[in-house]
Amino acid sequence: MGTQIERRGLVFPALWLFSVVVFWNKAGAQLRYTIAEELKEGSVVGNIAKDLGIVVSEISVRNLRIASESGKQYFNLDLRNGVLFVQDVIDRENICGQSTNCVLPLQIIIENPLQFYRVEVEIQDINDNSPRFHPEAKIIDVPESTPAGTKFRLEPAQDFDVGSNSVRTYALNKNDNFVLNLKNNKDGTKVPEIVLQRALDREKQAEFLLVLTVVDGGNPTRSGSIEITLTIQDINDNAPVFEQDLYEIKVMENCAPGTLILTVKANDLDEGRNSQIEYSFGPHGLGNINTIFSLNAETGELSVLNHLDYESSKSYEFDIRARDKGIPVMEGQCRVQVTVIDVNDNAPEIIIASSPKPVREDAASGTMVALIKVTDLDSGNNGNVTLTISSNPPFTLKPTFSSHYALVTDKNLDREESSEYNIELKASDCGSPPLLTSKFVTVTILDANDNAPVFSLPVYSVYVWENTTPGSILSSVTAFDLDQGENARIAYSVIDLKSNDIPVSSYVHINSDNGTIFAMHSFDYEKIKVFQIQVQAKDHGSPSLCSNATVHVFIMDQNDNVPSVIYPSALMGSVSHQRMPRSAKAGHLVTKVTAVDADSGHNAWISYWLAEATDASLFTVNLHTGEVRTKRSVSDQDESSQRLIIGIKDNGVPVQSTTVTVDILIEDAFHEPISDYRKKNTEPDKKSGKITLYLIISVASVSLLCLATFFVLLVKCARSSKSSSSCCIRRTDSGYKNPNNLQIQLNTDGPIKYVEVLGGDVMSQSQSFGSYLSPMSEFSDFTLVKPSSTTDFTNTLSVLDASLPDSTWRFESQQVSV
Ligand SMILES: *[C@@H]1O[C@H](CO)[C@@H](O)[C@H](O)[C@H]1NC(C)=O
Ligand SMILES: *[C@@H]1O[C@H](CO)[C@@H](O)[C@H](O)[C@H]1NC(C)=O
């Protein structure tokens, strides 16, 4: 190494140091200057001429000049004084970078003699660069779960200056979570690290902003900074949490499917997928919950899926869970209680617990007929049911035990009034509005034998011709019974009236099934004119009921009897002999033919006529009275023996007639036994004498007949007395049938008006009274048999007179009594 000349001088008042170092060696002298970088143009580096010992005047002579070794010419030479000055601003960092030693070499060339000198200009660093981070902002993602103590390495800051002007230290803004740590590299540089001091919670603070400042060692110092954003990255460390643990809601049971009833909400403090919640039904209460409710997985909206039914479930309790989509999944749960509110949606139901039994009409009031139950699926008032009955029927409801009713009879029943009841049961609940149900039950009323048979008429009158054949139908009676079945089945019978010891049943027979009455015998009007039958209708009930009716049987007369001649009394075929004087004048009563007819009415109206006569011009017969009178005076020419045949007929159909033959002897001298009727009609004594005559005749005949009858009976009684002690009252068939067994009844008050010829039968005797008016006659048909006073008799006659249209029926023969 050679001599080293080093000069340092101040170019600016500022403490810029530069030095000239001259090295000398064989190859040439060497100059060395030291300047600070960034000197202004024209700043003097050093006086080369002087340092090389060249006189100022020689500079231009020797042609002093510089040549740069590198391309760029930072320096120039002032040829006037040989001063080297800065021609262009020198940036050390630009030329030398981070190299500590920065030298710009120059060649100094001098001619005459040619000499080369080497000049080195050392550029000294000044603190003209601030330390800088690159880039100046940084984002670091930090997992939330990062443990305390974790280091985050940062890029060191850069300073283009060197030496002490370069990076000296770092500083971190104050914060609770991070501290700065400087790590020394082997090359002496420091690497900044930030260290996590405590665990992070993204949910508390999701981002930290740190500012790291770097300071260099210059004077004055320069600094730079970097903004570090620490973003805390979420981890799924929070479960979703429902806003309520328990949701209680009430829902009407009739809400429509699809109705939104509740929205549940859960919150997740995490973010992103870790906070994306999906709702679902929890395991508790699952089963059929998802058939009843639907849950929107995203919104948490709970709605009714199907119809709710309070009656099948009054409440629902289930869990809803919320699950996030983080990994691992976190979930939260809440409880939902749905209370279903009853709506009156169920009508009451009527159940016939025991079907209506048929009830007898005579059942006591209060007899149970049916048992009825009412139910309603609703609750409370909606399920509170009352049962009522339509008011009319004679039934009532009696509450028994819980919601049961007994249908009982209320009044006495009457099957004949109503045999069946259709009862409407109405059930109504107490809801608002109430729901109604109705049901019909039919109650059948059974018959009891409470109605007696009733005849269609209380009294029947039957008219029947005599002489009808035995076994013919007499009449028919009918009775009705309002009851049913056997209680209404009627048996007819004849009550045996034992009056007069003759059982009626011997006359008639009744068909017990249909009430037809048959005649057992043929009746003879002349023996029996009327009789009564008591018929009875009896039902088959138990006990049976019966009722009676009376049948009056009137026998109607037929013209079955020939008029029989009473006077002149003559046995059949014989001739009556009468006498009369030849002196008789016209109108002389010769005799009087009297006949009677066993029939009655028209059949007994007898008329007389002259059928044959020896001399028809001499006699006349009164049509009605049967008086035979002379038409004219008897003359001497008239034969003394006259024969008359007088016809007698009745007025029946067919006419029954007979004749009587009267022989009259006309005597020339004759004591007149019968005074002229007409002449003596003013004398009552005559009249009574005439009647007496008739009476004597009649009584004699009757006595004869009675005597004959008595004897006949006596004989018969004597014959049969061994077998029967009551023979006297026993009626024999022969006696009954014998038409000759007659009684003649006379009215002795006044002239003979009527002669009743009666059969010997006791029964017929009793029955023969009372028939005043014959039904077959359109006129008053007198059958006067009762003894009556004269005044009664005449009264009756006048009534009869007035009622008879035919004047011929005036009773001429009774002029005397009028
Ligand atoms: C009643 O029955 C009898 C015998 O069977 C019969 O002859 C008669 O005609 C019946 N009467 C009525 C009214 O049917
Ligand atoms: C019917 O007549 C019978 C016999 O006379 C009598 O015993 C009965 O009581 C009567 N019945 C009625 C309902 O009158």
Side-chain angles (χ1 to χ4, degrees), residues 702 705-706 740-745 756-761 765:
V702 169
L705 276 166
C706 282
N740 296 325
N741 192 6
L742 293 174
Q743 291 181 352
I744 298 172
Q745 189 172 344
E756 181 79 72
V757 180
L758 300 169
D761 189 83
Q765 233 174 14

Side-chain angles (χ1 to χ4, degrees), residues 784-804:
L784 186 68
V785 292
K786 252 186 194 168
S788 65
S789 69
T790 312
T791 45
D792 280 348
F793 179 67
T794 48
N795 281 350
T796 315
L797 278 177
S798 59
V799 170
L800 183 67
D801 259 2
S803 67
L804 289 171

Side-chain angles (χ1 to χ4, degrees), residues 11 88 95 127 143 147 218 269 276 363 383 428 434 448 474-475 478 502 646 668 719 772:
V11 178
D88 202 355
I95 299 164
N127 196 18
L269 292 174
Q276 280 175 14
S428 160
L474 205 59
S475 174
T478 337
I502 310 292
I646 296 165
D668 289 331
R719 277 184 192 163
Y772 279 67

Side-chain angles (χ1 to χ4, degrees), residues 495 536 546-548:
I495 299 170
Q536 188 175 65
C546 68
S547 65
N548 297 340

Side-chain angles (χ1 to χ4, degrees), residues 377-432:
L377 292 173
D378 295 321
S379 65
N381 275 346
N382 295 338
N384 197 354
V385 184
T386 52
L387 187 68
T388 53
I389 196 173
S390 46
S391 58
N392 282 346
F395 295 96
T396 189
L397 286 169
K398 224 164 93 182
T400 56
F401 50 98
S402 61
S403 5
H404 279 75
Y405 293 85
L407 182 66
V408 298
T409 58
D410 193 19
K411 305 177 189 135
N412 290 330
L413 302 167
D414 187 3
R415 191 202 63 83
E416 286 72 36
E417 193 180 289
S418 176
S419 64
E420 193 176 275
Y421 289 93
N422 232 353
I423 303 164
E424 186 181 10
L425 301 164
K426 287 182 196 162
S428 160
D429 61 25
C430 301
S432 166

Side-chain angles (χ1 to χ4, degrees), residues 686-740:
K686 284 278 177 187
K687 183 189 113 190
S688 54
K690 192 175 172 184
I691 290 165
T692 313
L693 175 69
Y694 290 144
L695 272 176
I696 291 162
I697 297 163
S698 301
V699 167
S701 339
V702 169
S703 302
L704 269 169
L705 276 166
C706 282
L707 218 64
T709 310
F710 180 73
F711 276 116
V712 169
L713 285 171
L714 208 66
V715 169
K716 289 201 170 186
C717 190
R719 277 184 192 163
S720 56
S721 58
K722 294 153 199 166
S723 58
S724 172
S725 59
S726 61
C727 81
C728 290
I729 56 162
R730 207 175 56 188
R731 179 179 57 87
T732 61
D733 278 358
S734 61
Y736 178 67
K737 285 178 180 169
N738 186 5
N740 296 325

